[in-house]
Amino acid sequence: AAAFIAASLGPAGFVVGTVLRHRAVPEIGQMVFLFLTNYLAATSALAGTIVIHRLGTSVERARRLGGYQLVERLGEGGMGEVWLARHRALVRPAAIKLMRAETLGGSLTELHAIQQRFRREVQATADLESPHTIEIYDFGAAADGRLYYVMELLRGLDAEALVKRFGPLPPERAIHLLRQACASLAEAHDRGLIHRDVKPSNLHVCVLGLELDFVKLLDFGLVKHQRHAD
């Protein structure tokens, strides 16, 4: 509407000026010749706006996973990307681990293996109740077939980034962090699960409520049941 109103200001002003000067108003054909470009420009602007709006809507829909909307990519690994997400009904933010798009381009055997590992990570993590194990909220599949799961959003740094930024930790603090990681692993072992990927980047040192240096163990993608361990 704004584009066409702006396009009409030219001919309206021309007509008013012609009348005030007591001159003959040009014929319709002349008016069309003089001001057709105004309306063509307004039509082009409208078409461009519609296209951009539809593209934006398509992108927004593509970034919806269940009841969650992807907001910002936080990081990526060999198997998946981690995104900041928000629920469309709940205020509480979350993190979503989404299978990497590149995995869909591989062979069916490779895709099946990655999907199985992804499912194994979700199932193993969801079964654990230790407060030092990352909490899983939801699991599903995106429109393009990629699997994803929703987990709690952690505030803080993983142990690898912590040491790189602030240097070696005092022994007392390192022991405090490791004891918490061991609490998560102890429950996993009690349930017959071996993590097989314990490393500093999978130990997240976070702020949880009023507690500082609260450890969360991440990434159970390589988990293996003890009866198959050997």
Side-chain angles (χ1 to χ4, degrees):
F4 283 99
I5 290 173
S8 300
L9 292 178
F14 182 80
V15 170
V16 170
T18 301
V19 171
L20 291 178
R21 294 180 182 181
H22 304 289
R23 295 180 179 178
V25 177
E27 296 179 358
I28 296 297
Q30 292 178 311
M31 294 289 289
V32 170
F33 178 78
L34 289 173
F35 299 105
L36 178 62
T37 53
N38 292 20
Y39 292 96
L40 290 177
T43 303
S44 300
L46 177 61
T49 302
I50 292 173
V51 171
I52 292 173
H53 175 72
R54 287 180 177 175
L55 289 175
T57 302
S58 298
V59 170
E60 184 179 356
R61 287 176 179 172
R63 296 177 70 173
R64 288 179 186 172
L65 297 174
Y68 291 87
Q69 180 75 34
L70 300 182
V71 177
E72 176 187 0
R73 189 166 67 176
L74 301 177
E76 59 182 315
M79 189 174 61
E81 305 170 340
V82 178
W83 287 75
L84 171 65
R86 65 172 182 267
H87 194 278
R88 284 178 285 171
L90 303 176
V91 177
R92 184 163 140 181
I96 288 183
K97 185 168 185 179
L98 175 66
M99 186 187 294
R100 290 170 61 92
E102 291 83 350
T103 59
L104 298 179
S107 66
L108 290 177
T109 303
E110 293 174 343
L111 178 60
H112 180 70
I114 293 173
Q115 288 177 331
Q116 287 296 102
R117 178 181 166 186
F118 206 87
R119 290 179 185 275
R120 188 166 61 243
E121 177 178 354
V122 178
Q123 292 167 352
T125 309
D127 285 341
L128 300 177
E129 300 176 350
S130 170
H132 298 291
T133 302
I134 188 73
E135 185 177 354
I136 303 295
Y137 296 154
D138 199 1
F139 174 69
D144 59 5
R146 288 186 291 167
L147 301 179
Y148 70 91
Y149 66 84
V150 186
M151 56 188 168
E152 60 181 317
L153 180 65
L154 303 177
R155 294 183 296 148
L157 297 170
D158 63 65
E160 181 179 7
L162 183 66
V163 172
K164 285 182 179 179
R165 181 175 298 186
F166 300 105
L169 303 181
E172 298 82 0
R173 188 181 185 190
I175 292 172
H176 173 66
L177 300 179
L178 289 174
R179 285 173 64 89
Q180 297 177 72
C182 287
S184 173
L185 291 172
E187 185 197 10
H189 293 175
D190 185 63
R191 297 185 179 222
L193 300 173
I194 300 175
H195 189 287
R196 298 200 304 169
D197 198 22
V198 179
K199 56 186 179 183
S201 60
N202 282 336
L203 299 178
H204 201 94
V205 184
C206 60
V207 178
L208 189 66
L210 299 178
E211 295 191 54
L212 305 177
D213 275 1
F214 197 95
V215 170
K216 290 279 188 175
L217 183 62
L218 314 177
D219 199 355
F220 279 76
L222 293 177
V223 71
K224 192 170 187 177
H225 200 282
Q226 279 186 339
R227 66 172 176 266
H228 302 303
D230 52 0

